[in-house]
């Protein structure tokens, strides 16, 4: 990379590189401005200053598109390395007792992120008051780079080889239905009886079939279902089950209140669906800032308690 020339001596070179990296990750100058809490003209001015300092054209921009030049691609990779090295340098110089600061953008599942994870989040923020959090409720996968995401908590299998995935816990699940629905159809006596009942489904985890295993005998049963309602919201499905729209297979922690009040009844507790893994995922990097490491540690400690729930409820 060409050495920064004298016009940039009076500028904050780290800030210019941070701005350039954020532009690339955000996908546009306006998105970068929003994420950095500044204005688009400021972002544009920093980019121009960096380009003049390097004597290189880093981005090709049109009204509707933005693309890295060949020089821009090389600059982007080197800038990321330099910024990671700079942050590591700063961290190493700070005393171990110094206050951790900065910001984190975290993606969490809607239901989990609104209820079970708020307690651990609050504890983390009390412990590290210098860290600000952008708590993004989103059930589907996201692009860490383009959206500037630091990490995500994901329920379900993680098969992306481009990210680090740390398994935190497993979410036990149970089948439930409303007393009104059972009054119409009767209480099932075997897993195969579930095929005649109406269902509500969350396509991320089950759509047309549910695999159940008998806890005592190990017998497995593939239950074919035809959902009356599908949704990506676990809250919506549990509430739909309360209204009698169908059987719901959902996280035990979410069903506890409905079971305790009698609004829902657990079906065939001896027949169980496999629990869902919960992982924290983040991109590979040579260096991870202290704020991210502390957040990961907090979630690893808190997650087993956050996913636990009643696993066997019976009601007449």
């Amino acid at each position: 990379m060409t050495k920064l020339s004298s016009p940039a001596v009076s500028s904050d070179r780290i800030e210019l590189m941070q701005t350039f990296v954020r532009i690339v990750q955000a996908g546009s100058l306006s998105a970068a401005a929003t994420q950095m809490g500044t204005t688009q003209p400021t972002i544009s001015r920093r980019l121009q200053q960096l380009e003049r300092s390097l004597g290189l054209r880093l981005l090709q921009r049109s009204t509707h598109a933005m693309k890295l030049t060949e020089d821009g691609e090389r600059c982007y990779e080197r800038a990321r390395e330099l910024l990671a090295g700079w942050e590591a340098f700063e961290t190493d110089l700070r005393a171990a007792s110094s206050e951790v600061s900065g910001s984190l953008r975290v993606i969490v599942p809607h239901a989990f992120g609104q209820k079970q994870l708020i307690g651990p989040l609050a504890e983390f923020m009390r412990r590290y008051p210098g860290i600000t959090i952008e708590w993004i409720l989103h059930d589907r996968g996201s692009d860490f780079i383009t959206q500037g995401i630091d990490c995500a908590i994901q329920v379900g299998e993680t098969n992306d080889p481009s990210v680090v995935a740390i398994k935190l816990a497993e979410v036990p699940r149970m089948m439930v239905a409303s007393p009104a629905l059972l009054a119409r159809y009767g209480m099932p006596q075997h897993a195969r009886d579930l095929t005649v009942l109406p269902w509500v489904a969350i396509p991320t985890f089950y759509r047309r079939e549910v695999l159940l295993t008998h806890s005592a005998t190990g017998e497995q049963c593939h239950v074919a279902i035809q959902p009356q309602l599908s949704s990506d919201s676990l809250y919506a499905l549990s509430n739909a089950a309360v209204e009698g729209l169908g059987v719901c297979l959902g996280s035990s922690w979410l069903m506890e209140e409905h079971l305790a009040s009698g609004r829902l009844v657990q079906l065939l507790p001896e027949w169980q669906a496999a629990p869902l893994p919960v992982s924290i995922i983040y991109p590979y990097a040579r260096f991870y800032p202290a704020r991210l490491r502390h957040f990961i540690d907090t979630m690893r400690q808190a997650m087993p308690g956050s996913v636990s729930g009643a696993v066997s409820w019976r009601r007449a």
Side-chain angles (χ1 to χ4, degrees):
M1 183 186 296
T2 304
K3 184 178 179 181
L4 287 172
S5 57
S6 57
V9 170
S10 61
S11 67
D12 184 341
R13 297 176 181 182
I14 297 296
E15 183 180 57
L16 296 183
M17 286 191 292
Q18 288 173 331
T19 300
F20 173 61
V21 168
R22 185 56 62 92
I23 291 170
V24 177
Q25 293 177 340
S28 70
L29 272 67
S30 59
T34 299
Q35 292 180 13
M36 298 186 74
T38 187
T39 64
Q40 183 171 336
T42 298
I43 296 295
S44 179
R45 184 168 58 253
R46 291 177 188 170
L47 174 62
Q48 293 170 8
Q49 190 172 5
L50 181 61
E51 289 181 326
R52 286 197 305 269
S53 301
L54 295 171
L56 299 172
R57 183 70 177 271
L58 302 178
L59 291 173
Q60 293 177 341
R61 287 183 286 162
S62 64
T63 305
H64 303 292
M66 183 186 78
K67 182 181 179 181
L68 282 169
T69 64
E70 185 175 343
D71 289 326
E73 291 179 355
R74 290 190 292 112
C75 182
Y76 174 65
E77 294 302 324
R78 290 297 304 278
R80 288 181 62 194
E81 293 176 4
L82 287 169
L83 291 174
W86 178 258
E87 189 161 3
F89 170 72
E90 288 184 321
T91 300
D92 289 342
L93 290 182
R94 295 190 187 105
S97 60
S98 63
E99 182 180 350
V100 180
S101 62
S103 62
L104 289 173
R105 301 189 82 218
V106 183
I107 290 182
V108 293
H110 271 89
F112 231 24
Q114 290 181 71
K115 188 174 182 182
Q116 299 302 96
L117 293 181
I118 294 299
L121 173 64
E123 175 60 28
F124 174 79
M125 299 187 75
R126 283 191 291 265
R127 190 179 303 173
Y128 304 104
I131 299 177
T132 60
I133 303 287
E134 186 172 353
W135 197 245
I136 304 169
L137 300 174
H138 190 54
D139 286 319
R140 298 177 183 176
S142 300
D143 191 317
F144 288 96
I145 302 302
T146 59
Q147 294 181 280
I149 303 300
D150 293 288
C151 66
I153 294 176
Q154 179 175 304
V155 178
E157 296 295 337
T158 301
N159 301 310
D160 186 351
S162 68
V163 300
V164 179
I166 300 176
K167 186 176 178 180
L168 303 176
E170 290 186 334
V171 181
R173 296 186 290 170
M174 63 172 64
M175 294 176 295
V176 295
S178 70
L181 184 142
L182 296 176
R184 297 199 308 271
Y185 290 90
M187 177 68 77
Q189 301 302 308
H190 190 277
R192 56 178 169 267
D193 299 336
L194 296 167
T195 59
V196 301
L197 300 180
W199 279 73
V200 295
I202 183 164
T204 306
F205 304 124
Y206 66 97
R207 187 187 300 267
R208 297 294 179 185
E209 183 181 83
V210 174
L211 175 61
L212 301 175
T213 302
H214 196 281
S215 58
T217 66
E219 178 188 356
Q220 290 191 325
C221 184
H222 293 265
V223 180
I225 62 174
Q226 294 185 340
Q228 303 287 99
L229 171 70
S230 296
S231 173
D232 61 355
S233 169
L234 198 51
Y235 278 132
L237 290 184
S238 62
N239 290 332
V242 169
E243 293 295 329
L245 295 185
V247 177
C248 177
L249 174 60
S251 302
S252 298
W253 64 263
L254 183 59
M255 303 304 172
E256 283 185 324
E257 183 178 344
H258 294 311
L259 293 169
S261 67
R263 292 190 295 268
L264 290 175
V265 177
Q266 185 179 5
L267 306 182
L268 303 173
E270 66 276 12
W271 287 93
Q272 299 174 3
L276 297 174
V278 182
S279 304
I280 188 164
I281 59 177
Y282 48 93
Y284 283 100
R286 293 185 178 181
F287 170 79
Y288 298 106
R291 58 185 177 273
L292 177 58
R293 298 197 303 270
H294 289 313
F295 181 80
I296 292 169
D297 289 342
T298 298
M299 290 300 133
R300 293 181 76 167
Q301 296 170 14
M303 193 59 65
S306 297
V307 303
S308 64
V311 295
S312 180
W313 287 76
R314 293 179 181 273
R315 288 198 175 266

